[in-house]
Amino acid sequence: MLVDSVPEQRAETAPAPPTRRAIRFAGLLLSVAVLLLVAMASIAIGAKELSLAQVWHGLFESTGTYADVVVDERQSRTALGLLAGAALGLSGTVLQALTRNPLADPGLLGINAGASAAVVTAITYFGVTSLSGYVWFAFLGAAAVGALVWFLGGSRGATPVRLALAGTAISAALFGYVQAVMIMDKAALARMRFWTVGSLSAATEDMIWQVAPFLAVGTLLSLALARPLNAVAMGDDTAKALGAHLGRTRALSMLAATVLCGAATAACGPIVFVGLMVPHVVRSFTGPDLRWIMPYAAILSPVLLLGSDVIGRVVARPSEVQVGIITAIIGGPVFIFLVRRRRTAQL
């Protein structure tokens, strides 16, 4: 009797295995730590080589060469990368859930095309030359296209297929318009060539304050839609049975994605693959629950964007490669891998 009770006592006192929720939360904390390291690297590393002591002095001195480089350039650049990366990741997550397509990205609904068309129009026909002026035109163009896609997709009766088709058609038309204007106007071509690549190098404190309110609203709205979008992802009939309001959820999702992607594109230009890659990769280890995918995407997307920006500053010193080029170089092979893996899983 006494011998038999020993295993039972050991079994009772043995520590319980960590739950899936605890593992996800620990991963989230680890992701935050990685983001902090990448953000510090973004401040410390640049096209202009500075020692850690010089970076430290630049952070805490009000004037001087080091302060100009570290505070005026790198801090603003890092802050914009954090905000824009989170916005792109969240908008990609929302659009993938809305269209029920894990390979969807913010460009699918024509938002990038709308921003680009508005900027080239501002340059050619309104004489806008400053990046601060581009921000508002780009955001208005993205918002207008988002509303048009929603209307053409059927408004309250919109379906994922209709929205994707409307976005693809509008994107093709607008990119044709952008190319035509740039060919006819050499000044527009010269200015748009820099903006369309996608870059954080033009970040300023004023620009960050201009887009921050839109990004804050879009972020809060996206996080609030996590539960309704979980229901929508199960299919229309199941979502209705669970009490989800399909029309309202899709309308608010379109609004959130447009605000987030529009503001990020307005500030940085159309940066590709971030909104596609990160949510898709996150889903592979969090599962389909958007209440976990969204926080992970909001943290890991800036890791990708800032990490790519740091790489671009280092590989071509004393010049730099724009972050949009680096994300495209990284994203191309990753996208091919994701498509092939998805195809293999279907077979």
Side-chain angles (χ1 to χ4, degrees), residues 8-100:
E8 295 178 3
Q9 291 176 358
R10 287 179 178 174
E12 290 175 359
T13 58
T19 63
R20 186 174 179 83
R21 182 184 180 89
I23 293 173
R24 287 171 173 171
F25 187 72
L28 204 59
L29 292 178
L30 179 61
S31 300
V32 172
V34 172
L35 178 59
L36 290 175
L37 289 175
V38 174
M40 288 189 289
S42 178
I43 294 174
I45 301 172
K48 180 180 178 62
E49 293 190 54
L50 296 177
S51 67
L52 291 179
Q54 291 170 332
V55 172
W56 181 263
H57 286 302
L59 286 171
F60 294 100
E61 65 183 14
S62 58
T63 58
T65 303
Y66 301 149
D68 292 342
V69 173
V70 176
V71 177
D72 296 341
E73 296 179 16
R74 294 185 187 174
Q75 274 193 352
S76 296
R77 189 169 182 160
T78 301
L80 183 59
L82 291 170
L83 294 175
L88 292 172
L90 282 174
S91 63
T93 303
V94 170
L95 289 177
Q96 288 176 13
L98 176 65
T99 60
R100 294 200 286 268

Side-chain angles (χ1 to χ4, degrees), residues 25 29 34 62 76 83 118 120-121 123 136 147 186 199 255 278 335:
F25 187 72
L29 292 178
V34 172
S62 58
S76 296
L83 294 175
V120 77
T121 300
I123 293 172
W136 292 106
K186 292 183 179 180
S199 174
L255 177 62
V278 176
F335 180 72

Side-chain angles (χ1 to χ4, degrees), residues 13-344:
T13 58
T19 63
R20 186 174 179 83
R21 182 184 180 89
I23 293 173
R24 287 171 173 171
F25 187 72
L28 204 59
L29 292 178
L30 179 61
S31 300
V32 172
V34 172
L35 178 59
L36 290 175
L37 289 175
V38 174
M40 288 189 289
S42 178
I43 294 174
I45 301 172
K48 180 180 178 62
E49 293 190 54
L50 296 177
S51 67
L52 291 179
Q54 291 170 332
V55 172
W56 181 263
H57 286 302
L59 286 171
F60 294 100
E61 65 183 14
S62 58
T63 58
T65 303
Y66 301 149
D68 292 342
V69 173
V70 176
V71 177
D72 296 341
E73 296 179 16
R74 294 185 187 174
Q75 274 193 352
S76 296
R77 189 169 182 160
T78 301
L80 183 59
L82 291 170
L83 294 175
L88 292 172
L90 282 174
S91 63
T93 303
V94 170
L95 289 177
Q96 288 176 13
L98 176 65
T99 60
R100 294 200 286 268
N101 179 1
L103 297 179
D105 74 329
L108 181 67
L109 299 185
I111 297 172
N112 288 344
S116 299
V119 170
V120 77
T121 300
I123 293 172
T124 303
Y125 299 109
F126 295 98
V128 178
T129 58
S130 66
L131 288 171
S132 59
Y134 297 170
V135 168
W136 292 106
F137 277 92
F139 183 76
L140 290 174
V145 170
L148 182 59
V149 168
W150 176 248
F151 174 76
L152 295 177
S155 299
R156 291 186 176 275
T159 63
V161 175
R162 287 181 180 177
L163 291 173
L165 289 174
T168 301
I170 292 174
S171 293
L174 289 179
F175 277 128
Y177 164 76
V178 169
Q179 294 300 319
V181 173
M182 289 171 63
I183 289 172
M184 294 185 295
D185 188 342
K186 292 183 179 180
L189 174 61
R191 296 189 185 118
M192 282 290 292
R193 184 168 51 190
F194 176 80
W195 185 83
T196 54
V197 169
S199 174
L200 299 176
S201 61
T204 62
E205 187 175 348
D206 289 340
M207 180 185 293
I208 293 170
W209 282 112
Q210 286 178 6
V211 300
F214 298 103
L215 297 177
V217 170
T219 298
L220 293 175
L221 184 57
S222 298
L223 295 175
L225 287 168
R227 190 181 296 273
L229 281 172
N230 274 339
V232 171
M234 298 179 186
D236 292 358
D237 293 336
T238 303
K240 289 178 181 178
L242 293 174
H245 193 296
L246 293 178
R248 182 176 61 196
T249 299
R250 285 174 177 152
L252 291 176
S253 298
M254 276 290 299
L255 177 62
T258 300
V259 169
L260 287 170
C261 184
T265 303
C268 307
I271 296 175
V272 298
F273 285 117
V274 175
L276 185 153
M277 278 193 297
V278 176
H280 192 84
V281 171
V282 166
R283 192 179 293 106
S284 66
F285 59 83
T286 63
D289 191 346
L290 290 167
R291 293 173 297 178
W292 286 102
I293 296 175
M294 285 186 178
Y296 268 101
I299 294 170
L300 293 179
S301 295
V303 171
L304 173 61
L305 188 61
L306 285 177
S308 300
D309 191 43
V310 171
I311 292 172
R313 296 182 224 172
V314 173
V315 295
R317 280 176 172 170
S319 297
E320 63 178 71
V321 180
Q322 304 304 322
V323 66
I325 297 174
I326 301 296
T327 58
I329 292 172
I330 297 173
V334 173
F335 180 72
I336 293 172
F337 170 75
L338 293 176
V339 171
R340 287 183 61 84
R341 191 180 69 169
R342 180 172 172 79
R343 181 181 177 186
T344 304

